[in-house]
Amino acid sequence: MASGPARRTTQTRTQTKKAASHDESLADSIDDIAAKVTQKIIEDAGFKYILRLIVSTAITDKLDDLRQRIEHQEGKLFDLERVIEDKDAQLRSLNDTLKDVENICSKHQTIINDLEQYSRRNNIRITGIPESQDEVTDDIVKKLAAEKLDINLPEGSIDRSHRVGKRLRSPSGHRAIMVKFVSSRTKVDIMKVKRKLKATGIVIREDLTKDNLALLKKTREHTKKNNCWTVDGRIVALVRESNGIDRKVNIRTSRDLSTV
């Protein structure tokens, strides 16, 4: 027979197993009850109504919040569009002002160019005359006028004359001679007979400003011009019309060339 302590241990183990089995059975019963109650609640129409109401309210609240955020962003976007419109208006105004300033500057530049050209009204430039050391350009001009142009230049008719441009290193290169006459009438007389120098290699031109010289070059390169020349610093182009008739056109700016 088992002693007293051994019997007590066996009894304790048996009681523990019974208690554990009872707890498991109670837990299963509670789970079953909970499942049945949950099923009843879910099947209950009132519960379904309340659940739909809760979900609907939650969705509505979220949609309201989203709508408010969208309206707030739309407000910001509207403000941004207004700012952009204002900036565009300012930019257009600045562009208009810039165009006005450019037009004014262009007019002023034209006036300055005309004044500079007027100051050269008595001047001519002669190219193609060999350059020598210790030369006297006044004498060269007088000799050219007498021998090639049949014009006698009296003493004092030349205000001044000199070579222009950088001194050329090449022996075959000769700088032009700039001549300023006392009277513009003398210059006109020279220009009228300059064609007599054709085939001599010597060329006489009016003393043009930098702008007018560049414009003359553009005019010469224009495809529609038949011929071009200058009169008192003004550029004149002979343009062949579609009917075969030549028409004289005064060229004052590059815009005039675009209309030819």
Side-chain angles (χ1 to χ4, degrees):
M1 294 181 61
S3 61
R7 284 199 302 272
R8 285 196 294 271
T9 300
T10 301
Q11 291 175 356
T12 299
R13 289 178 179 175
T14 302
Q15 291 175 353
T16 300
K17 289 180 179 180
K18 289 181 179 181
S21 176
H22 180 269
D23 291 342
E24 290 177 0
S25 177
L26 180 60
D28 291 339
S29 298
I30 292 173
D31 289 342
D32 291 341
I33 293 171
K36 291 178 181 180
V37 170
T38 301
Q39 185 66 31
K40 288 292 184 180
I41 291 173
I42 292 174
E43 293 175 354
D44 183 71
F47 173 77
K48 291 181 179 180
Y49 172 77
I50 293 173
L51 183 60
R52 283 197 299 269
L53 183 60
I54 293 172
V55 173
S56 177
T57 301
I59 293 174
T60 301
D61 291 342
K62 288 294 183 181
L63 288 176
D64 289 341
D65 180 63
L66 181 60
R67 189 178 299 108
Q68 290 177 1
R69 292 184 180 182
I70 292 174
E71 291 176 352
H72 180 66
Q73 295 300 324
E74 287 179 344
K76 286 186 174 181
L77 181 60
F78 177 77
D79 292 340
L80 182 59
E81 289 175 348
R82 290 292 300 273
V83 171
I84 292 174
E85 289 176 358
D86 292 342
K87 295 299 182 183
D88 285 342
Q90 293 177 11
L91 183 59
R92 287 193 296 270
S93 177
L94 289 175
N95 285 334
D96 292 340
T97 302
L98 180 60
K99 288 180 181 179
D100 292 339
V101 172
E102 287 177 346
N103 289 334
I104 293 173
C105 290
S106 178
K107 290 179 180 179
H108 287 175
Q109 180 62 34
T110 300
I111 293 173
I112 293 172
N113 181 68
D114 290 344
L115 290 174
E116 183 182 352
Q117 187 61 63
Y118 182 76
S119 70
R120 303 185 183 199
R121 67 191 182 280
N122 296 352
N123 299 3
I124 62 171
R125 293 201 179 207
I126 306 173
T127 58
I129 297 179
E131 184 174 357
S132 61
Q133 193 172 7
D134 300 326
E135 66 183 9
V136 179
T137 53
D138 282 13
D139 294 340
I140 294 175
V141 174
K142 290 178 181 180
K143 182 179 180 181
L144 173 69
E147 294 181 357
K148 301 294 185 181
L149 304 177
D150 297 323
I151 292 179
N152 181 33
L153 294 177
E155 193 68 30
S157 60
I158 298 176
D159 183 10
R160 64 178 180 271
S161 66
H162 55 83
R163 297 278 182 175
V164 291
K166 293 182 179 180
R167 189 176 296 277
L168 303 177
R169 296 181 179 179
S170 173
S172 60
H174 307 291
R175 294 179 296 166
I177 298 175
M178 195 281 291
V179 185
K180 181 176 183 180
F181 295 106
V182 173
S183 171
S184 60
R185 187 180 299 276
T186 306
K187 175 237 183 162
V188 171
D189 292 340
I190 294 288
M191 295 300 293
K192 284 181 179 179
V193 296
K194 69 174 186 175
R195 290 181 179 274
K196 293 182 178 181
L197 296 174
K198 190 174 183 180
T200 65
I202 300 174
V203 177
I204 296 178
R205 296 188 180 94
E206 289 190 303
D207 184 28
L208 300 179
T209 64
K210 182 179 179 181
D211 289 348
N212 286 344
L213 190 61
L215 184 59
L216 178 62
K217 182 180 179 182
K218 286 184 179 180
T219 305
R220 285 173 175 165
E221 295 172 350
H222 199 282
T223 55
K224 291 186 177 180
K225 67 89 186 169
N226 192 24
N227 194 7
C228 65
W229 61 92
T230 63
V231 178
D232 292 333
R234 301 189 313 271
I235 300 170
V236 181
L238 196 63
V239 180
R240 180 64 55 87
E241 300 286 4
S242 57
N243 57 7
I245 299 176
D246 290 335
R247 176 172 61 93
K248 289 182 180 181
V249 180
N250 290 321
I251 307 297
R252 287 183 55 82
T253 65
S254 296
R255 294 179 183 177
D256 295 331
L257 283 175
S258 62
T259 60
V260 171

